Amino acid sequence: HPGDLARRKAKLKTIRDNIVARIKNKPYASFINRSNIVFVDNSVSGSNASQDPIVHVKMFRGQLFKAMYSDKKMEEAIPICWLPFTYAMRLLAEEVSSPVVPTAEVRMIAKEVCHLEDDKDVDAVLEFYHNLGHILHFTDNETLQENVVVNVEWLVKVVSVLLVPGSVQVDTDHDPVRQKAYQHLIRKGILLERFAQHIWDKNCPKLAEHLTSTEERTFLFNLMEQHAILVDASKLSVCIPRTVIKHNERMYWVPALAAKEVTAADDDKALS
C-alpha cells in the first residue's frame, strides 16, 4: 500500500538521521561516508523489485567490495583452508601461558587446522599472517625465527611502556640504586635490563606475568635490539657506576628517549 511505503520511508529516514547524528562527533567519523549509508528494509516483500531487500543487499555488497578492493593488499587471493589459522592463533594466545610460542608448535598447528602437508605451504601461511599483523614471525634473524609472537597486542603494550618512562610508575623510595637507574634512563636513555623488569612489574603486572622465564625476556630484548628500539650500550662509551650496574648485566641505549631534554624539575617529578 502506498501509505505503508511512505511510512516505511519516513521511518528509514528517521533511523538514518539518528545514526548520522550519533557518529558525527566520533573519532572514526572521518572514515564513514555519511552521505552513502545503505539501508536494508527487510519488511518489504518481493513484489516491488525496486524495494526488494535483495536489491539493497546487492547494493551494499557492491559498495563493500569496492571499498575492500581499493586496498591493493586485499587483491591477494588465499586458499580457503588458510582461514582457520587466525582462529587457531587466537585460541592459542588465550590458552598458553606465554604470548611467545616456539615456531615448531605453530607450524604443527598450521598443518593441522589448514590441512597442509608441504612445509612451503606452511611457510606461506606464516608469512601471509605475519604481513597482516596477526602474528609476528621474523625469518630474517636466526635467533628470532625460532619463536612466533601469537599475541601482538601484548608485545606492543610491553614495548611501549619502556618508551614513555615519564608516564610510568617506579618505586625508588629508599633505593638509591633504583633512583640512579631511573635517572640514567630519563637523562641518557640508558636502560638496565633489571630495571626494565621492574618497570613492567610495576606498570603492567598482568603483561609482566608472561616475562617470567629467561627465554621470553631474551627473545623480547633481542627483538627490540634487532629493530633498533634498543641498542646494546656495551658498544657505546657509557659510564655507569658499579654501584648501579651488576657484573655482566646487560644495558641498552633507547634512541627514542635520547632526544628528549630533561630538567631537574622533571627528575623531581618522576621520582616523587
Side-chain angles (χ1 to χ4, degrees):
H1 190 275
D4 293 337
L5 179 60
R7 283 194 294 272
R8 283 199 299 270
K9 286 185 176 180
K11 184 177 180 180
L12 284 176
K13 184 178 184 306
T14 301
I15 294 174
R16 178 190 181 282
D17 292 343
N18 288 337
I19 292 176
V20 170
R22 290 192 178 195
I23 65 176
K24 183 178 180 180
N25 297 320
K26 299 293 184 181
Y28 50 80
S30 59
F31 298 100
I32 299 176
N33 184 356
R34 296 190 294 272
S35 64
N36 198 21
I37 298 177
V38 177
F39 290 89
V40 177
D41 184 0
N42 58 6
S43 66
V44 180
S45 63
S47 57
N48 188 333
S50 64
Q51 296 297 324
D52 196 325
I54 296 179
V55 174
H56 293 273
V57 171
K58 288 182 177 179
M59 185 188 308
F60 171 71
R61 183 187 301 163
Q63 293 185 4
L64 178 61
F65 285 168
K66 182 179 179 181
M68 289 171 56
Y69 290 118
S70 64
D71 184 348
K72 296 298 181 182
K73 293 182 179 179
M74 295 301 298
E75 295 180 0
E76 184 175 355
I78 65 169
I80 294 178
C81 64
W82 287 14
L83 298 181
F85 182 78
T86 303
Y87 181 67
M89 289 299 98
R90 190 179 302 121
L91 288 180
L92 183 63
E94 295 174 356
E95 294 175 357
V96 299
S97 59
S98 173
V100 181
V101 179
T103 302
E105 182 177 346
V106 174
R107 294 181 67 87
M108 182 177 65
I109 293 174
K111 284 187 174 183
E112 181 179 346
V113 301
C114 299
H115 306 288
L116 303 175
E117 297 182 1
D118 194 327
D119 286 336
K120 291 184 178 179
D121 291 336
V122 178
D123 293 338
V125 170
L126 297 186
E127 181 182 3
F128 177 77
Y129 283 104
H130 168 87
N131 292 335
L132 285 182
H134 290 192
I135 63 171
L136 292 178
H137 182 228
F138 302 98
T139 57
D140 55 350
N141 182 278
E142 292 184 3
T143 303
L144 300 180
Q145 69 180 1
E146 297 300 322
N147 292 280
V148 176
V149 179
V150 296
N151 188 338
V152 179
E153 183 180 359
W154 168 87
L155 177 66
V156 172
K157 290 181 178 178
V158 166
V159 172
S160 63
V161 168
L162 296 181
L163 301 181
V164 194
S167 65
V168 304
Q169 298 177 355
V170 290
D171 290 330
T172 58
D173 295 341
H174 311 299
D175 190 339
V177 174
R178 196 170 286 168
Q179 287 182 352
K180 289 290 185 182
Y182 190 72
Q183 289 171 353
H184 279 292
L185 176 61
I186 64 174
R187 282 188 166 276
K188 301 179 180 180
I190 300 299
L191 174 68
L192 303 182
E193 185 172 355
R194 172 170 41 106
F195 191 62
Q197 186 65 49
H198 168 73
I199 293 177
W200 287 324
D201 290 340
K202 181 66 178 177
N203 293 272
C204 49
K206 290 186 178 180
L207 300 178
E209 291 176 358
H210 301 301
L211 288 169
T212 55
S213 72
T214 302
E215 292 77 11
E216 291 166 342
R217 290 195 297 270
T218 299
F219 173 83
L220 180 58
F221 278 104
N222 285 341
L223 188 152
M224 291 190 289
E225 189 174 355
Q226 175 70 16
H227 293 85
I229 298 173
L230 305 177
V231 177
D232 186 356
S234 65
K235 302 175 183 178
L236 308 173
S237 58
V238 179
C239 181
I240 302 291
R242 292 187 177 181
T243 55
V244 177
I245 187 171
K246 292 183 177 180
H247 179 62
N248 290 332
E249 181 177 8
R250 298 181 69 180
M251 61 180 181
Y252 301 90
W253 178 56
V254 187
L257 306 181
K260 183 179 182 297
E261 296 183 2
V262 182
T263 66
D266 293 327
D267 281 350
D268 294 338
K269 181 180 179 180
L271 298 174
S272 61

